[in-house]
Amino acid sequence: MKALEVHEIDTYYVKSHVLHGLSLEVSEGNVVCLLGRNGAGKTTTIRSAMGMTRPARGSIKIFGEEVLGRRANEIFSKGVRVVPQGRHIFPMLSVEENLRLAFIGLSSSKLRKEMEDAYQMFPGLRARKKQKGKTLSGGELQMLAIARAIMGTTRLLLMDEPSEGLAPLILTHIGNTIQELKERKIPILLAEQNLQFALQVGNFYFIIDNGTNVFSGNKKELSENGKVQQQYLGVSI
């Protein structure tokens, strides 16, 4: 079954037409990378899939169920989680408090288990669990954003520019985390500009330009197509 099916969606910001008949799909257990330059429409695609920006037309299905027009909280209730660009952590709350917010109302025993799982995945957060969000480094903020998103029952994860501004060592850790989530069979849609990082973690790739599909293919097809890389991403691996 497909975890996510986006079919010919058109999305606008006020009168600006951002996505033009965009289509993509994410199969269960796969990491699908959505690539493109700044302003290509990657974040709008994530927002459309999560119900935060409503497409004017088209279809979005989550595990076979049509969700176009549904609110973000309804889509969240189906196990869809998002790691937004910029992390969006509460700066005046501690690491522990940021994590707890993901599970208000959960029993204390279940909450302890979820917290322990998060700290095992990101040991660096345990040492800073009483530290306020505003004092964390960029890498620590990204770890916290991912940990918060995957706590509980996550059936589909949407990640927007997770490599942005990260040092190489931290980026390696984030890449390892994505691989671990893949091993858990959690499907991921990863919006990214960093082609080298995307080729390390992904299974399949879509490239968009000005809100339109311009390429789709597997890792071999993309890695061997220097013309597409240069034309639409401005780099060549």
Side-chain angles (χ1 to χ4, degrees):
M1 179 182 289
K2 300 292 191 299
L4 173 66
E5 297 170 89
V6 176
H7 183 66
E8 296 186 352
I9 62 169
D10 283 75
T11 302
Y12 294 77
Y13 279 136
V14 191
K15 294 183 179 181
S16 179
H17 194 174
V18 181
L19 301 181
H20 304 260
L22 185 118
S23 298
L24 60 82
E25 60 184 38
V26 181
S27 298
E28 288 189 88
N30 283 337
V31 176
V32 173
C33 297
L34 179 65
L35 301 170
R37 301 183 184 191
N38 272 336
K42 301 186 301 298
T43 294
T44 302
T45 303
I46 295 289
R47 291 180 58 86
S48 296
M50 193 63 199
M52 295 184 287
T53 300
R54 183 178 297 184
R57 63 187 66 88
S59 172
I60 299 176
K61 293 182 180 180
I62 303 291
F63 294 99
E65 180 180 350
E66 182 62 58
V67 297
L68 187 73
R70 301 279 185 88
R71 295 178 178 178
N73 64 305
E74 295 178 81
I75 296 175
F76 180 89
S77 71
K78 299 183 183 302
V80 183
R81 303 291 184 263
V82 62
V83 180
Q85 185 178 20
R87 289 97 189 193
H88 293 195
I89 294 301
F90 293 98
M92 298 306 295
L93 298 183
S94 69
V95 167
E96 187 174 275
E97 289 166 338
N98 268 284
L99 290 174
R100 285 179 178 274
L101 278 177
F103 283 96
I104 293 176
L106 198 68
S107 70
S108 57
S109 60
K110 288 184 178 179
L111 179 59
R112 282 196 298 271
K113 181 183 182 303
E114 293 293 342
M115 298 282 281
E116 182 59 30
D117 287 347
Y119 290 143
Q120 284 186 8
M121 181 167 285
F122 297 106
L125 294 180
R126 189 192 300 274
R128 291 165 174 75
K129 63 182 180 180
K130 300 300 182 184
Q131 200 168 315
K132 288 186 177 181
K134 68 177 183 178
T135 67
L136 300 179
S137 69
E140 290 165 345
L141 286 170
Q142 188 63 277
M143 292 177 192
L144 178 55
I146 296 173
R148 188 175 62 178
I150 62 175
M151 290 175 69
T153 305
T154 301
R155 300 180 66 206
L156 170 64
L157 185 61
L158 312 176
M159 306 182 76
D160 194 0
E161 303 278 7
S163 74
E164 186 178 43
L166 299 185
L169 184 61
I170 300 299
L171 190 55
T172 298
H173 190 173
I174 298 300
N176 291 339
T177 299
I178 292 173
Q179 293 290 356
E180 183 176 337
L181 295 175
K182 187 195 299 187
E183 291 172 6
R184 295 185 188 182
K185 305 301 182 184
I186 296 176
I188 298 173
L189 175 61
L190 175 70
E192 188 55 73
Q193 281 192 78
N194 186 328
L195 175 59
Q196 189 169 7
F197 177 70
L199 287 172
Q200 289 172 359
V201 301
N203 299 105
F204 199 83
Y205 303 85
F206 292 90
I207 299 177
I208 60 175
D209 187 56
N210 293 321
T212 303
N213 293 93
V214 294
F215 172 87
S216 64
N218 59 32
K219 184 175 299 190
K220 184 175 187 294
E221 291 168 332
L222 177 56
S223 62
E224 294 179 353
N225 197 329
K227 181 178 179 181
V228 164
Q229 295 174 25
Q230 191 64 48
Q231 182 174 356
Y232 296 113
L233 303 175
V235 295
S236 185
I237 300 298

